[in-house]
Amino acid sequence: MPPGAGRRAAVDVEDLLVRVKNGAEPELGAVAREVAALAEEGRLGGDEDDGVLVPALLARLAGAGDPEVRVLVMAALRRLAGCAGGETKERMASIDALSSIVRSLSRDVDERMEAIVLLLDLSDIPQVRQRIGRIKGCIVMLVTLRNAHESGTYDDAEKLLHILSCNPQNVLLMAEAGYFRPLIHYLKEGSDMNKILMATAISKMFLSEQMKSSLGEDGAVEPLVEMFKSGNHEAKHSALAALRNLSSSLQNAELLINCGITGSLLQLLCSVTSVLMTLREPAAAILSTIAQSDRILLHRDAAPQMLSLLNLSCPVIQLHLLRALNSICGHTNAKRARAKIRQNGGVQLLLPFLREKNVGIKVAALNLMFHLSKDASQELAEQIRETHLDILVKIIASPTPGIAEKAAAVGVLSNLPVADKNITKFLTQANLLPVLISLLEANISASPSPQKMWLLEGIAGVLTRFTVSWDKKLQSLAVGHGVVPWLVKLLSEGSVKAKSKSATSLAQLSQNSVALRKAKSPRWLCVPPSAESYCIVHDYQCTVKSTFCLAKAGAVNPLVQILEGEEREADGSVLEALATLVQDEIWENGSRVIEKASGVHALLRVAEAGELTSQDKAIWILERIFRLEEHREQYDGIAQALLIDLAQKGDPVLKPMIGRILAHLQLLQTQSSYF
């Protein structure tokens, strides 16, 4: 008789079975604990015992309501599986049995721990590995437990996921749950078919930005690029589709550029091999997204190559290429790239697109013209004809085009040289000015969007053409159309670029206020002057329409508020506008108006932290303000320390004017070496 046979025979399996099947839950817990102990001692675990006990325990597990009882039942099953042969584990490997165990993964910590350990014990059975992935929610719960880094479950969840990853379908489920390491392993070391399977899965997944970044960080980009470069047609197609989904992440765009994909994509686009034609659209789409990274500028021939492909491509690819070129030219350090595109005839190539019926392509071409003319407005003016200007005006004036198209057209016009009188004459005769005012009225207080912001910036830029200081007649036309109130409103509600352009227009108008006062000053009055129309700055009966007066326009306070803000881009234009209030003939009254608007504090702020040209202009205005004793007395304390520090540590070009202010404050002799 084998050792232990007597002890085993002494166990009343029938009694255990009856208690498992019929006992209330407290009794079920007790008998489950007893079964576990007997199995641990080796007194249970034969095929006959397990053949009756295992199904009964599984049946009770599925319906047990007490968490503690479920833990005890799973512990009993685990002990039976541990001391018996494969047949016992296979009895636990049915879908129903596994589903009961998997449900416990979402319950409290003790139950989760017992369920994972039991599943791990069962996972050496091939059928279990195949079936677990098919149980709804199992992979997701395991990934969740792994990601939670919970003591007692993390390691076992990681082990179980690793075991299950031998099945590619399980790997796809893990990826959908946000666990990508097994998928990336297949991309790097799997068979060609499995690589294609994984790449195709990535291409079809909805990926959040965080998931895209995670895939890139964990190493998905490099093997996909290698698949594209060296794989067969199917591999290339699936790799490109996957990279297209990943490339919208700026981090991944940089990885792609670093992997050298730019040249390969361009080479593909230049290819005339028929078998590769289906790959050209996704290749162009990837170029469009990776161009959002300024690392694309390292490939100096990329932009000219894209440009050369424009007229050789279908509309879908044309749009991708135009978007890529827009991204390249929009980078802050892209001046050289823009110059190279212009040298290759970029503007001339784009002009025909103004008549393009595809709105997306037309807008993208207009945007590119805008970027190219940022630092070459004269070059654009030399190539653009009245027919092109007419198209742009019609886009702006027509009710049909959307805001993106209008913003792009206005943006191009805003970059044309203001000094070109022929362009100004054409736009004036085309009645563009009232159209721009109407667009301002419709959009300045509307819900903000990037396109509306760009539209307002463009309008503010074009309006500087109609307010040039050397053409009072044109200024009168603009003021007569009601431009001034909208310019003042842009000072408060526009972007910093719109504020800067609006301040430039107001400065240009205000430069002529003194001259207009003199020209219109009556020799005698039949009626006493109105206190309401009297202007303290110009000592005259000012109105916005008659003298373009900043004070009467209510522009002084919003101009000062811009200087008080954190953005410094508009400082120069704002200071030019304020400087018109302290011209030689009106400096005294203008100083008081600026001071009343809290301008001294704002000017000191710019003097301390602005760019050199803004510092210089702010100090010039302050010198005039501090000529008045009342201002010296009021601001002496706050100005002294700042100005002395600036004189000692600031740019030498500022010292003479600072010296004058310090002399006004009686801190220096008039003949000091500061002058």
Coordinates of all heavy atoms in Angstrom, one line a residue, residues 251-282:
Q251 N 6.6 65.2 -29.7 CA 7.7 64.4 -29.2 C 8.1 63.3 -30.2 O 9.3 63.1 -30.5 CB 7.4 63.8 -27.8 CG 8.4 62.9 -27.2 CD 7.9 62.4 -25.8 OE1 7.4 63.2 -25.0 NE2 8.1 61.1 -25.6
N252 N 7.0 62.7 -30.7 CA 7.3 61.6 -31.7 C 7.7 62.2 -33.0 O 8.5 61.6 -33.8 CB 6.0 60.8 -31.9 CG 5.7 59.9 -30.7 OD1 6.5 59.7 -29.9 ND2 4.4 59.5 -30.6
A253 N 7.3 63.4 -33.4 CA 7.7 64.1 -34.6 C 9.3 64.3 -34.6 O 10.0 64.0 -35.5 CB 7.0 65.4 -34.8
E254 N 9.7 64.7 -33.4 CA 11.2 64.8 -33.2 C 11.9 63.5 -33.3 O 13.0 63.4 -33.9 CB 11.5 65.6 -31.9 CG 11.0 67.0 -31.9 CD 11.2 67.7 -30.6 OE1 11.7 67.0 -29.6 OE2 10.9 68.9 -30.5
L255 N 11.3 62.5 -32.7 CA 11.9 61.1 -32.9 C 12.0 60.7 -34.3 O 13.0 60.1 -34.8 CB 11.1 60.1 -32.1 CG 11.3 60.1 -30.5 CD1 10.3 59.2 -29.9 CD2 12.7 59.7 -30.1
L256 N 10.9 60.9 -35.1 CA 10.9 60.5 -36.5 C 12.0 61.3 -37.3 O 12.7 60.7 -38.1 CB 9.5 60.8 -37.0 CG 8.4 59.8 -36.7 CD1 7.1 60.4 -37.0 CD2 8.6 58.6 -37.5
I257 N 12.1 62.6 -37.0 CA 13.1 63.3 -37.7 C 14.5 62.8 -37.4 O 15.4 62.7 -38.2 CB 13.0 64.8 -37.4 CG1 11.7 65.4 -38.0 CG2 14.2 65.6 -38.0 CD1 11.3 66.7 -37.5
N258 N 14.7 62.5 -36.1 CA 16.0 62.0 -35.6 C 16.3 60.6 -36.2 O 17.5 60.3 -36.4 CB 16.1 61.9 -34.1 CG 16.0 63.3 -33.4 OD1 16.3 64.3 -34.1 ND2 15.7 63.3 -32.2
C259 N 15.3 59.9 -36.6 CA 15.5 58.6 -37.2 C 15.8 58.7 -38.7 O 16.0 57.6 -39.3 CB 14.2 57.7 -37.0 SG 14.0 57.1 -35.3
G260 N 15.8 59.9 -39.2 CA 16.1 60.1 -40.6 C 15.0 59.8 -41.6 O 15.3 59.4 -42.7
I261 N 13.7 59.9 -41.1 CA 12.6 59.5 -42.0 C 12.3 60.6 -43.1 O 11.8 60.3 -44.1 CB 11.3 59.3 -41.2 CG1 10.4 58.4 -42.0 CG2 10.7 60.6 -40.7 CD1 9.2 57.9 -41.2
T262 N 12.8 61.9 -42.8 CA 12.4 62.9 -43.7 C 12.9 62.7 -45.2 O 12.1 62.8 -46.1 CB 13.0 64.3 -43.2 OG1 12.7 64.5 -41.9 CG2 12.5 65.4 -44.0
G263 N 14.1 62.3 -45.3 CA 14.7 62.0 -46.6 C 14.0 60.9 -47.3 O 13.7 60.9 -48.5
S264 N 13.6 59.8 -46.5 CA 13.0 58.6 -47.1 C 11.6 59.0 -47.6 O 11.1 58.5 -48.6 CB 12.9 57.5 -46.0 OG 14.2 57.2 -45.6
L265 N 10.9 59.8 -46.8 CA 9.5 60.2 -47.2 C 9.5 61.1 -48.5 O 8.7 60.8 -49.4 CB 8.9 61.1 -46.1 CG 8.5 60.3 -44.8 CD1 8.1 61.3 -43.7 CD2 7.4 59.3 -45.0
L266 N 10.5 62.0 -48.6 CA 10.6 62.8 -49.8 C 11.0 62.0 -51.0 O 10.5 62.2 -52.1 CB 11.6 63.9 -49.6 CG 11.2 65.0 -48.6 CD1 12.4 65.9 -48.2 CD2 10.1 65.9 -49.3
Q267 N 11.9 61.0 -50.8 CA 12.3 60.1 -51.9 C 11.1 59.3 -52.4 O 10.9 59.1 -53.6 CB 13.3 59.1 -51.3 CG 14.0 58.3 -52.4 CD 15.1 57.4 -51.9 OE1 15.4 57.5 -50.7 NE2 15.6 56.5 -52.7
L268 N 10.2 58.9 -51.5 CA 9.0 58.1 -51.8 C 8.1 59.0 -52.7 O 7.5 58.6 -53.7 CB 8.3 57.6 -50.6 CG 6.9 57.0 -50.8 CD1 7.0 55.8 -51.7 CD2 6.3 56.6 -49.4
L269 N 7.9 60.3 -52.2 CA 7.0 61.2 -52.9 C 7.5 61.5 -54.3 O 6.8 61.8 -55.2 CB 6.9 62.5 -52.1 CG 6.0 62.4 -50.8 CD1 6.2 63.7 -50.0 CD2 4.6 62.2 -51.2
C270 N 8.8 61.5 -54.5 CA 9.4 61.8 -55.8 C 9.4 60.5 -56.7 O 9.6 60.6 -57.9 CB 10.9 62.2 -55.7 SG 11.1 63.8 -54.9
S271 N 9.1 59.4 -56.2 CA 9.1 58.1 -56.9 C 8.0 58.1 -57.9 O 6.8 58.5 -57.6 CB 9.1 56.9 -56.0 OG 8.9 55.7 -56.7
V272 N 8.2 57.5 -59.1 CA 7.1 57.3 -60.1 C 6.8 55.8 -60.2 O 6.0 55.4 -61.1 CB 7.6 57.9 -61.4 CG1 7.6 59.4 -61.4 CG2 8.9 57.3 -61.9
T273 N 7.4 55.0 -59.3 CA 7.1 53.6 -59.3 C 5.6 53.3 -59.0 O 5.1 53.8 -57.9 CB 8.0 52.8 -58.3 OG1 9.3 53.1 -58.6 CG2 7.8 51.3 -58.5
S274 N 4.9 52.6 -59.8 CA 3.4 52.5 -59.6 C 3.1 51.8 -58.3 O 2.1 52.2 -57.7 CB 2.8 51.8 -60.8 OG 3.4 50.5 -61.0
V275 N 3.9 50.8 -58.0 CA 3.5 50.1 -56.7 C 3.6 50.9 -55.5 O 3.0 50.6 -54.5 CB 4.5 48.8 -56.6 CG1 5.9 49.2 -56.2 CG2 3.9 47.8 -55.6
L276 N 4.4 52.0 -55.5 CA 4.5 52.9 -54.4 C 3.5 54.0 -54.3 O 3.5 54.8 -53.4 CB 5.9 53.4 -54.3 CG 7.1 52.4 -54.2 CD1 8.4 53.1 -54.2 CD2 7.0 51.6 -52.9
M277 N 2.7 54.1 -55.4 CA 1.8 55.3 -55.4 C 0.8 55.4 -54.3 O 0.5 56.4 -53.8 CB 1.0 55.3 -56.8 CG 1.9 55.4 -58.0 SD 2.9 56.9 -58.0 CE 1.7 58.1 -58.5
T278 N 0.4 54.2 -53.8 CA -0.6 54.2 -52.7 C 0.0 54.6 -51.4 O -0.7 54.9 -50.4 CB -1.2 52.8 -52.5 OG1 -0.1 51.8 -52.3 CG2 -2.0 52.3 -53.7
L279 N 1.4 54.7 -51.3 CA 2.1 55.1 -50.1 C 2.3 56.6 -50.0 O 2.7 57.1 -49.0 CB 3.4 54.4 -50.0 CG 3.4 52.8 -50.0 CD1 4.8 52.3 -49.9 CD2 2.5 52.3 -48.9
R280 N 2.1 57.3 -51.2 CA 2.4 58.7 -51.2 C 1.6 59.6 -50.3 O 2.1 60.5 -49.7 CB 2.4 59.2 -52.7 CG 3.3 58.5 -53.6 CD 3.2 59.0 -55.0 NE 3.9 60.3 -55.2 CZ 3.4 61.4 -55.7 NH1 2.2 61.4 -56.1 NH2 4.1 62.5 -55.8
E281 N 0.3 59.3 -50.2 CA -0.6 60.1 -49.4 C -0.2 60.0 -47.9 O -0.1 61.0 -47.2 CB -2.1 59.7 -49.6 CG -3.0 60.7 -49.0 CD -3.4 60.5 -47.6 OE1 -3.4 59.3 -47.2 OE2 -3.7 61.4 -46.8
P282 N -0.1 58.8 -47.3 CA 0.3 58.7 -45.9 C 1.7 59.3 -45.7 O 2.0 59.9 -44.6 CB 0.3 57.2 -45.6 CG 0.2 56.5 -46.9 CD -0.4 57.4 -47.8

